[in-house]
């Protein structure tokens, strides 16, 4: 079956471990970025919330990674039952980020030009020089596209972990499905 692997080329367990590592890396980098440089784009509280949420997603991917490494039914099941809620909150975060960036365009532009904003007089920093080369709408679009790509990656990661969870649940040791092949047992759930 086509969905019993990861990215159509890795076995589901190895691919899930690889994908978990990728999600950990992406969300950890995003959390560090939002903690340190988020106040340039958002308020300090918003950047802490967004960065903390990225750190939470990295920790959840770590749970899935250790679940794959240890073939732990408990960790995989915990990940499956917690992450669907986090995915819904992630959609709300994308909307909140879009709204916050749209309402803070004047402050970001003032920070780029060394003007006075609500945080006082600011001079352009090295990070600001990178973003100030582009139009403010381009920066907002880059943020939104980045969060959407992150959401799609986590959605596929959730799908792979869920498939592995179903596969563990339907293992031959389960007497309920002992007379079925794996594909027949999938049709039963």
């Amino acid at each position: 079956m086509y969905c019993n692997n990861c990215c159509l080329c890795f076995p589901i367990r190895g691919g899930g471990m690889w994908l978990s590592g990728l999600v950990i890396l992406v969300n950890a980098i995003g959390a560090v970025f939002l903690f340190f440089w988020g106040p340039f784009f958002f308020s300090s509280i918003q950047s802490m919330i967004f960065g903390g949420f990225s750190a939470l997603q990295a920790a959840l991917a770590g749970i899935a990674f250790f679940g794959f490494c240890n073939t732990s039914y408990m960790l995989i099941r915990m990940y499956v039952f917690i992450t669907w809620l986090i995915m819904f909150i992630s959609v709300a975060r994308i909307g909140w980020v879009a709204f916050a960036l749209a309402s803070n365009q004047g402050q970001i532009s003032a920070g780029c030009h060394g003007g006075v904003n609500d945080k006082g007089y600011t001079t352009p920093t090295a990070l600001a020089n990178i973003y100030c080369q582009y139009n403010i709408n381009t920066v907002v679009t880059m943020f939104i596209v980045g969060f959407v790509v992150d959401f799609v990656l986590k959605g596929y990661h959730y799908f792979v972990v869920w498939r592995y969870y179903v596969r563990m649940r339907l293992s031959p040791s389960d007497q309920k499905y002992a007379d079925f092949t794996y594909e027949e047992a999938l049709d039963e759930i």
Side-chain angles (χ1 to χ4, degrees), residues 141-163:
T141 304
M142 287 185 338
F143 261 96
I144 301 304
V145 167
F147 277 111
V148 169
V149 167
D150 179 48
F151 177 76
V152 169
L153 180 68
K154 284 190 300 273
Y156 184 66
H157 179 249
Y158 179 78
F159 175 73
V160 168
V161 174
W162 175 77
R163 290 298 304 162

Side-chain angles (χ1 to χ4, degrees), residues 2 15 18 44-45 50 53 92 96 100 111 130 136 149 154 176 182 186 188:
Y2 68 91
W18 174 81
S44 296
I45 293 174
F50 297 150
F53 192 73
W96 190 9
I130 293 170
I136 191 68
V149 167
K154 284 190 300 273
K176 180 178 178 184
Y182 178 70
L186 283 176
E188 292 295 316

Side-chain angles (χ1 to χ4, degrees), residues 1 6 8 18 24 33 38 41 45 93 96 104 109 112 120 123 141 149 170 175:
M1 182 175 225
C6 178
L8 297 176
W18 174 81
I24 291 169
F33 176 81
F41 301 100
I45 293 174
R93 179 182 68 158
W96 190 9
N104 292 341
S109 179
C112 283
T123 56
T141 304
V149 167
L170 298 177
Q175 296 303 318

